[in-house]
Amino acid sequence: MKLTFRIQYRTVWGEDIRVILNDDTEHPIALSTRDGNNWIGTTNYEAPVACVQVTYRYGVFCNGVCVRKEFGAIPHSFDIGNAQQTHYIMDDCWRDLPAASYKYSSAFNEPHPCVKPNQLNNHVGNCITFRALCPELYNKKQELGIIGSCNALGNWEYCRPLRMYEVQPNVWHITLDASSLTFPFEYKFAAINAKTGAVEEWESGPNRTFHIQPLLRGETYLPMESEVFFNLPATKIAGTAIPVFSLRSEGSFGVGDFGDLLTFIEWAAQTHQKAVQILPINDTTMTGTWTDSYPYSSISIYAFHPMFTDLRQLPALKDKEAAARFEKERIRLNALPQVDYEEVNLHKRNYLKAIFKQEKEAILSSKDFQQFFADNKNWLLPYAAFCFLREKYGTPEFTTWPEYADYQKEEIEALCDPESESYEDIAYHYFVQYSLHVQLLKACDYGRSKGVIVKGDIPIGISRTSVEAWTEPYYFNMNGQAGAPPDAFSTKGQNWGLPTYNWEVMEKDNYQWWRLRFSKMAEYFTAYRIDHILGFFRIWEIPTHSVHGLLGQFSPALPMSPEEIRSFGLDFNKEFMTQPFINEYMLQTMFGDKVNYVKENFVVHRHHDIYAMRPEFDTQRKVEAFFAGKTDVDSLNLKEGLYTLISNVLFVPDRKNPDMYHPRIAVQNDYIFNRLTWNEKEAFNRLYNHYYYQRHNEFWYSEAMKKLPILTQSTPMLVCGEDLGMVPDCVPWVMDQLQILSLEIQRMPKDPKCEFGHVYAYPLRSVCTIGTHDMSTLRGWWEEDATVTEHFYHSELGHWGDVPKQAPGWLCKEVIEHHLKSPSMLCILTWQDWTAMDEELRNPNVDSERINIPANPRHYWRWRMHITLERLMKQTEFNEEIIRMIDESGRY
């Protein structure tokens, strides 16, 4: 058969348009043009025997390389009819993302069963195929139809539309015999009742008009695809954010589990909430201590944490004495106000091993397990082997293992072989991951059945002692540490200690590592939060010798040469500006009566009143090692003071080119900046503002657009970005273009001129919340700074009189109602903030509800609900109030 493609696209010199047929990127079909705007090309195509539908995309090529492809998860397509159809003519327009692409996501859309294209059309002669994109149908009760001004299209009679067929999710086709149509004609698309076929909703906008050139016998013409919209209100929903480990039920084992998650989803559905958001749930087991409680440093991007296993869903333990001991421990741990991470994991691990020993033959031989193993073998084998070796050698530091330190796939497959001596210990980890998979899938499927979005969280980084760092080290820069630059919550920046990504290597296989990661998430979740989405533009990379984040630099970035620095009017002096500046005044001011001790042990006198760090203490890591285990106040103050001395520089050498430099972040607050003259300070600030707020916008935009279009469109999940912190101007450009939902927090306004964000002005494509897991709760924030609270109470809420010292329930409810009535598509509040409006139900201890303190890299993540889910379900007055508020805000 012959295929003809026609498209309008304005190119520049050296570019041409090609068609990528059925994802065959190696053999694109070249189109030609006479004016650089109208492109056309014809090719002969032999369809495979089983092929009934052809998909294609347009791409822009330059020198034979594809520099841009159409966006969107949905490609163009057409159905192959019978052998009489010998020529298909496609008129197309370039497709970026469909308008309101969120409606095509699995969060808001339940696809209809698609009809196989070869069941649809058996026309002979010349045909016309109408193609439409429409996600706005009411579940399975409606279908898309076409109706028009000629008899073949029903003569506008609402009971006579023609049914279209869903050939892909939200993609509707119908092929008509052209001889049955009277040209020209007008037509519209309509939502029709799936049973009766009658029109229930007409598409918005004026009638469409159809003109066509005469067709030859055997030709099928496909006019441009249409996006179909109905006059429906904007989709807006409400939900709750809570970590899985924080859930509490009467039957849980001292920590929330996937069974509790299902119950929490049930509570959300009953209170008219349509979203439940959780923190990362990946396995973080490294040391076996409470420091593993940090959920954003996982040892696997695929494996789930064993502590989330709901033991109630496993077979009963036959050893009655052991079962009684476990039950006693369960009751004790479940009564604690917070998670005892170490005890919980010790006892749950022992229970899981006992169940595995009892049930291993039945489980490992089951068809469901065998299917899970086959589907997940690529990551499951190295993960299980890693866990086995971590326990065998007592450390996740794989570089120190006497064997298998360098990952070799064949060696690990041999280690995991069923005939291996280690097989039973390794297979235990298969069993745990299989159980977690079944339980999480059950909870998320329940959410789908109730129309509740279950929103996962994808951390920006991985642990440097993780399976991926072991098996795929080429994807990471192990000589750097990911973190975040200083902000109001962490004045010295955040150092997460995670390796940064080698994006150059990842680009070579089209970011396969990320696409596989996203695909695994899509098995369970219908939406996800990209943690620190700024990391896809640039990451704050800190050298491994640093503890704080002040000596970091953005990567990738455009460093400055000494000549460029001088062009801003600042005389660059390498020795003074790139080495720690330490003088007598600093030492006396910072260390007081400990100054002589500091001089004798940590610094060396150079000349006049100038000092330098001793070589054995010239990095923050060396200082940290010296003070290891010293927890008295004097030692802690000395250590922090020495850290400050080391970071007291104006410029940081570039990681790749030490003759190029980056202005040190937030240096205006340090001693070295005050040594500059007034003119030098002015020059430095001009350079600083240019570097951090102007220089990189186009560069970081292009970096993000290499990655994010591919990743965000690799699954049907709804994409939300955590775009807080030091946000470059280019971030909103990309998020708007890719239709990624932003995060809006009233106390962290995007406009620096505003003290608080304006809830009523939030964009539709956003998630609004009062606070996140990294922030204090509404009640906690209310008590932090009386001046800020007073401004909020009077100017933002519009109240008069004295400001309450603690946030009363009525005030918390008022703040919640403001957020529910915002334009944001998603309003997702923490569970603590929901309960804040009920003074009888909420936790009387405000401070205990804080989940994380970002400034503390060793924070213990252990907060738990103070009441059980069973009790929560019975809070009739509270639950009915949530229903009323959500319904009145139009979010149900």
Side-chain angles (χ1 to χ4, degrees), residues 253 321-334 347:
F253 207 119
E321 288 187 13
R325 289 195 303 271
F326 280 120
E327 177 63 10
K328 183 178 179 181
E329 289 300 324
R330 186 196 69 78
I331 293 172
R332 177 180 69 85
L333 291 169
N334 212 34
H347 292 293

Side-chain angles (χ1 to χ4, degrees), residues 1 97 256 269 273 276-277 338 363 374 526 552 578-579 582 632 722 756 837:
M1 69 181 67
L97 288 178
Q273 299 180 66
V276 169
Q277 177 177 318
Q338 295 178 307
I363 291 173
T526 52
T578 65
Q579 299 298 317
I582 307 170
D632 59 285
E722 186 266 295
F756 305 107
M837 65 182 183

Side-chain angles (χ1 to χ4, degrees), residues 192-205:
I192 64 175
N193 186 288
K195 290 184 177 180
T196 66
V199 173
E200 293 187 336
E201 186 80 25
W202 299 82
E203 70 166 313
S204 56

